[in-house]
Amino acid sequence: LYSGRPVLNSFTGYGDLIQAYDAGISVAAGDPAALAKAILQLKSLPKAARAQMGARGRKGALEHHEYYALAKQLERVLFPLG
């Protein structure tokens, strides 16, 4: 996600994140036919659409998963009045 490129995912547990940011395509692990179809689907998208996917993923990663952002969230929980 940080790279700003669309993600093609076949790992269990990351699909929800990729879908939440509309940052790529996820398929079930161990399904080579679905992976091949996803590769072709991603390849067939216009370059601008792939760039937008990548940009959405990077934006989501920086806003919600970057260390500074996570530290600020933790700070708000630990010190809500300060």
Side-chain angles (χ1 to χ4, degrees):
L1 293 173
Y2 284 103
S3 71
R5 303 282 188 199
V7 177
L8 182 56
N9 173 60
S10 66
F11 292 104
T12 302
Y14 293 102
D16 291 344
L17 184 63
I18 293 165
Q19 286 181 345
Y21 299 140
D22 190 21
I25 301 172
S26 290
V27 298
D31 188 345
L35 183 59
K37 182 178 176 184
I39 291 169
L40 294 174
Q41 180 182 353
L42 193 58
K43 186 178 183 318
S44 72
L45 291 174
K47 186 176 183 177
R50 292 191 308 265
Q52 289 171 349
M53 276 183 170
R56 286 189 297 265
R58 181 168 172 76
K59 182 178 186 286
L62 290 174
E63 288 178 358
H64 302 288
H65 302 283
E66 193 268 333
Y67 291 116
Y68 182 77
L70 293 172
K72 291 308 262 180
Q73 289 174 11
L74 180 59
E75 182 179 51
R76 284 192 297 272
V77 169
L78 295 176
F79 308 106
L81 301 177

